[in-house]
Amino acid sequence: MNKDNIDSKKTSPEQKELVKEFEKTKKTLEETNKFLLNILESSSSVSIISTDLEQNILYWNSGAENIFGFKSEEVVGVRKIDIIYADASTIHQVQKVRKQIIKTEKGMNCELKQVTKNGRILWSRMTLTPRFGKNGKIIGILGIGEDITEHKRADAELRDTMEKLRKTLTGIIHATEMIIETRDPYTAGHQRRVATLAKAIAKKLSLPEIQVEGVYMVGVIHDLGKISVPAEILSMPRRLTEAEFNLIKNHPKAGYDILKNIEFPWPVADIVLQHHERINGSGYPAGLEGNDIILEAKVLAVADVVESMVSHRPYRASFPLKRALGEITQNREILYDPDIVDCCLELFNKDNFQFEEREEPSPLLG
Ligand SMILES: [Fe+2]
């Protein structure tokens, strides 16, 4: 619309109103444009780079100057965008992204390894969006990037520290397991087999990987507290008296006391404390019920019962697997969590789960 043309003819009030509206919109657009240009120019920590389809640099803001060390006049119309990519694999990665943008005409985000004028390597999170010409066809790509090098470094350091911590804690668990093994190989073997079954149940319950690992870790030391029980009671070749059994019943608390001050990524001490609790409150030491018992402790309880029944005990021969599975089926939802029992039954009945070979207990230990 041309204002002079309109003015030169006789104009109606509606046309005059339209012209006023047009002038207002034009002014707003100019101001917005100026505002946006200002942002582009003054962003010192954000790189904004525009290229054509041949990857020639057409626009390079002050943020790009700051980050990459090249002045705008050194690169605009002179260099291709690949001067800021750190290596051949990044160039390949960007080519793939650009092809995708041109094909779909949609923007994409990516993390790129880049290099500055003086050779410093940096990481940027880039948002790449297509630019369209007047005919609506794509004519280039606009990239907006943020330096995330520090962020990446801190992330890697944190991962590294976590990994070291995990190794340390795993080391503590294995050292504990070895101490138990030295004193009581029978219990050590039992714990390993319980841990393997408990881990398989935890996987079947679709617990997160970290929780599955925790179930295994606690499994291999869950009877740690038995080191506080005199060895002759553990290997007594007859049924225990009530007083003797009470000594054994103290082992979850004894294990808890040894572990309670160590910071693990899992509630190790509490799981150890609760592995003889039963969901109807008939277990020990606290008589906890249902959801007051930690899930991992309920998993260990089922694995513990099955393994114990199929193992030889100093005072009795082993029971057949059928009888052990009968025990958990009969007390499903009474003593044991029903979902855990179902997973355990499925492992034996459908998945052919088998315990590793058991070493016969040494005659010295009964
Ligand atoms: Fe136990």
Side-chain angles (χ1 to χ4, degrees):
M1 200 179 301
N2 187 312
K3 185 171 174 278
D4 295 334
N5 283 349
I6 294 169
D7 281 345
S8 62
K9 295 172 191 166
K10 206 171 178 193
T11 51
S12 67
E14 288 83 7
Q15 280 173 321
K16 275 185 186 161
E17 194 51 42
L18 211 61
V19 170
K20 244 171 91 180
E21 221 20 67
F22 171 78
E23 286 300 322
K24 217 171 117 188
T25 310
K26 195 175 155 204
K27 205 173 159 219
T28 312
L29 276 174
E30 277 169 2
E31 276 169 5
T32 309
N33 213 8
K34 224 167 127 186
F35 175 69
L36 287 174
L37 262 174
N38 234 336
I39 292 178
L40 290 183
E41 286 304 334
S42 61
S43 306
S44 58
S45 60
V46 176
S47 65
I48 301 169
I49 304 166
S50 175
T51 58
D52 62 17
L53 291 180
E54 276 73 51
Q55 306 196 50
N56 298 302
I57 296 170
L58 304 178
Y59 176 78
W60 182 268
N61 80 330
S62 60
E65 289 187 343
N66 280 341
I67 293 171
F68 297 105
F70 292 103
K71 288 276 158 213
S72 173
E73 53 270 26
E74 284 179 87
V75 290
V76 171
V78 185
R79 309 291 295 265
K80 285 191 189 283
I81 188 68
D82 57 10
I83 51 158
I84 61 166
Y85 300 139
D87 48 34
S89 111
T90 309
I91 292 175
H92 182 69
Q93 180 193 355
V94 177
Q95 273 167 356
K96 264 175 75 179
V97 172
R98 288 181 74 98
K99 265 188 196 161
Q100 186 71 9
I101 292 172
I102 293 167
K103 193 175 150 198
T104 61
E105 299 195 338
K106 283 191 178 134
M108 284 179 81
N109 295 321
C110 51
E111 284 183 8
L112 298 176
K113 191 177 175 186
Q114 300 178 325
V115 61
T116 65
K117 189 179 180 181
N118 63 17
R120 182 175 73 88
I121 297 292
L122 65 111
W123 281 91
S124 287
R125 184 176 294 121
M126 301 288 302
T127 303
L128 300 173
T129 45
R131 285 191 307 108
F132 298 98
K134 279 181 187 150
N135 58 4
K137 287 201 170 151
I138 186 164
I139 53 167
I141 289 175
L142 180 74
I144 301 177
E146 180 197 358
D147 186 346
I148 55 163
T149 315
E150 263 310 297
H151 194 77
K152 277 237 169 206
R153 195 188 53 77
D155 245 23
E157 259 179 26
L158 184 66
R159 266 202 306 276
D160 204 40
T161 309
M162 290 296 288
E163 184 54 25
K164 275 185 196 150
L165 183 64
R166 208 181 63 82
K167 277 187 182 158
T168 308
L169 293 171
T170 309
I172 292 174
I173 299 258
H174 287 307
T176 311
E177 191 192 356
M178 282 175 76
I179 293 167
I180 301 167
E181 175 125 44
T182 311
R183 182 173 182 269
D184 178 6
Y186 187 76
T187 296
H190 158 70
Q191 293 183 126
R192 257 195 302 276
R193 286 188 298 276
V194 168
T196 309
L197 175 57
K199 182 181 174 180
I201 295 173
K203 267 192 186 169
K204 220 172 220 324
L205 283 167
S206 304
L207 298 186
E209 207 176 311
I210 177 86
Q211 218 172 346
V212 173
E213 194 185 355
V215 166
Y216 182 80
M217 289 296 171
V218 184
V220 294
I221 58 162
H222 73 274
D223 275 339
L224 160 73
K226 281 191 180 163
I227 59 171
S228 70
V229 181
E232 55 276 19
I233 291 183
L234 290 176
S235 56
M236 198 73 81
R238 58 163 168 78
R239 286 223 160 263
L240 299 173
T241 63
E242 203 184 330
E244 287 162 350
F245 190 52
N246 281 338
L247 276 175
I248 289 203
K249 274 168 87 175
N250 188 48
H251 79 273
K253 174 71 168 60
Y256 171 83
D257 286 339
I258 295 168
L259 297 162
K260 67 183 177 196
N261 293 324
I262 309 175
E263 281 272 340
F264 289 100
W266 316 281
V268 175
D270 285 319
I271 300 171
V272 165
L273 181 65
Q274 296 179 13
H275 78 275
H276 282 284
E277 298 288 357
R278 298 292 180 252
I279 61 167
N280 64 357
S282 65
Y284 61 87
L288 298 177
E289 286 179 37
N291 286 337
D292 290 340
I293 308 170
I294 298 176
L295 178 67
E296 290 93 325
K298 289 191 272 194
V299 172
L300 277 181
V302 170
D304 193 14
V305 164
V306 173
E307 205 288 331
S308 300
M309 285 185 74
V310 300
S311 294
H312 167 88
R313 281 291 153 110
Y315 54 88
R316 63 150 170 83
S318 59
F319 291 117
L321 177 65
K322 209 175 155 193
R323 182 152 169 198
L325 298 185
E327 154 66 21
I328 58 167
T329 308
Q330 214 175 357
N331 288 303
R332 181 185 179 277
E333 241 174 329
I334 301 169
L335 302 180
Y336 313 113
D337 180 290
D339 294 336
I340 296 170
V341 168
D342 292 346
C343 287
C344 184
L345 292 175
E346 204 180 310
L347 279 166
F348 285 101
N349 295 334
K350 287 193 186 154
D351 306 345
N352 198 27
F353 179 90
Q354 282 179 339
F355 286 115
E356 66 183 74
E357 276 302 301
R358 199 174 301 126
E359 284 165 31
E360 282 310 312
S362 145
L364 287 176
L365 285 155

